[in-house]
Amino acid sequence: MVVSSGLQKYFDTSKKWKKDDTQAKLDAIASQIDPAFAASFDCFKTRILGIVEETPEANTMVLGELNELDENLKTSRRKHNLKKAVAIMDNVS
């Protein structure tokens, strides 16, 4: 996954970071990732943690981006589950 230019800029200019918060958020997101994309997410996770380790002040921005990604994953999963439910109901009827 590519890190957005805004996120990279924030990494370059921020002052505060807590690795444990970022690691916990990445772990929570990882549990929602489709197994087919797990390897790609592991690379993304390693890259994010490497960037914030080099720039510890990036925590606030990183957590904001990860919260947005987490919400997008949850929304996507809900839509997928609704489509699956509709398909099942159509086949049962």
Side-chain angles (χ1 to χ4, degrees):
M1 295 179 131
V2 177
V3 176
S4 71
S5 60
L7 182 58
Q8 183 63 52
K9 182 179 176 184
Y10 190 85
F11 287 148
D12 296 337
T13 60
S14 297
K15 301 284 184 217
K16 184 181 174 188
W17 174 69
K18 292 181 182 174
K19 185 175 182 178
D20 293 342
D21 293 344
T22 304
Q23 181 70 49
K25 193 63 177 171
L26 286 165
D27 290 343
I29 291 171
S31 68
Q32 300 177 57
I33 302 294
D34 186 296
F37 297 104
S40 176
F41 183 76
D42 284 341
C43 292
F44 169 76
K45 182 177 169 180
T46 301
R47 180 164 161 71
I48 291 292
L49 290 174
I51 290 169
V52 293
E53 193 165 316
E54 292 173 9
T55 313
E57 52 278 345
N59 189 51
T60 304
M61 178 66 173
V62 170
L63 290 177
E65 292 281 334
L66 293 177
N67 284 334
E68 184 177 339
L69 176 59
D70 186 41
E71 188 58 38
N72 289 340
L73 286 169
K74 288 177 183 172
T75 301
S76 177
R77 176 173 280 166
R78 281 185 225 122
K79 288 178 185 175
H80 173 74
N81 288 341
L82 285 173
K83 288 179 182 178
K84 191 162 60 170
V86 167
I88 290 169
M89 288 170 44
D90 287 345
N91 287 325
V92 171
S93 304

